[in-house]
Amino acid sequence: MINYSSNLVYGLKTSFDEMCKLTGESDQHEFNYRLGNSLLWILICQERIKIHNPDDELFLGVKCAANALKHNELLYKLQDYSGPKLPTVVPFALGGTYVWASLDHASREIRHQDQISAYRKCLEGKRIDDTLRIVKDKIMEIYEKENLQNPPQT
């Protein structure tokens, strides 16, 4: 029998995997959709799987990112890889990476200073896939621990 929590975890894993599979052919609309989907599943899992430390700075930073995205802010940029200098931005598939953008322009839309501080400390300028992988892994660890202690009833 499939339980509700396993559906949440499936949504989290699938949205994250889809975001990570993006290549240089993906346009900004597609990446924005995949990023938003991943952030949504992270927040749902955090709420429903009962993450016991909601004040964790990384989770606060992700909550800030979700709020900024909700206010239609561009939260990412494609950063060149660290190879030979080329005159254009390098596509994701060739080594370019999506990183969290500065929040300076969005901070007036977000009212929670603790979230803004956490975003700047834990996300800003860092690779999106790396930071969200850490969050996903924390959620999975908690989910697996909870599932072992309280197996679903069949």
Side-chain angles (χ1 to χ4, degrees), residues 107-125:
S107 57
R108 65 187 168 314
E109 297 288 338
I110 301 165
R111 296 187 177 123
H112 302 284
Q113 279 305 124
D114 56 339
Q115 290 181 13
I116 293 170
S117 297
Y119 178 93
R120 288 187 173 132
K121 179 180 178 184
C122 300
L123 301 180
E124 193 169 278

Side-chain angles (χ1 to χ4, degrees), residues 3 7 24 42 52 71 95 112 127 129 145:
N3 67 12
N7 283 336
I42 287 169
H52 297 294
H71 291 288
H112 302 284
R127 288 178 55 133
D129 57 339
K145 196 180 298 181

Side-chain angles (χ1 to χ4, degrees), residues 13-140:
K13 285 191 221 175
T14 303
S15 65
F16 178 78
D17 291 345
E18 287 176 352
M19 184 193 70
C20 289
K21 287 180 189 174
L22 292 178
T23 64
E25 290 82 42
S26 301
D27 64 15
Q28 280 194 338
H29 294 293
E30 185 68 21
F31 185 75
N32 198 57
Y33 167 74
R34 305 286 176 158
L35 174 60
N37 202 25
S38 292
L39 290 172
L40 175 65
W41 279 106
I42 287 169
L43 293 178
I44 291 170
C45 286
Q46 180 182 2
E47 178 185 322
R48 303 303 294 175
I49 296 177
K50 312 281 191 251
I51 305 299
H52 297 294
N53 187 3
D55 295 327
D56 180 294
E57 281 189 301
L58 188 54
F59 282 104
L60 280 175
V62 167
K63 194 168 191 172
C64 181
N67 284 335
L69 191 65
K70 181 174 67 176
H71 291 288
N72 203 25
E73 297 295 337
L74 187 61
L75 287 178
Y76 55 87
K77 59 185 178 180
L78 191 58
Q79 187 176 60
D80 291 343
Y81 74 122
S82 59
K85 294 293 179 197
L86 298 175
T88 60
V89 172
V90 178
F92 187 69
L94 299 177
T97 58
Y98 286 107
V99 297
W100 295 103
S102 169
L103 248 194
D104 293 336
H105 60 287
S107 57
R108 65 187 168 314
E109 297 288 338
I110 301 165
R111 296 187 177 123
H112 302 284
Q113 279 305 124
D114 56 339
Q115 290 181 13
I116 293 170
S117 297
Y119 178 93
R120 288 187 173 132
K121 179 180 178 184
C122 300
L123 301 180
E124 193 169 278
K126 296 178 181 163
R127 288 178 55 133
I128 291 174
D129 57 339
D130 288 347
T131 55
L132 292 186
R133 182 176 289 108
I134 293 167
V135 173
K136 177 185 72 84
D137 290 347
K138 282 184 174 188
I139 291 171
M140 292 303 303

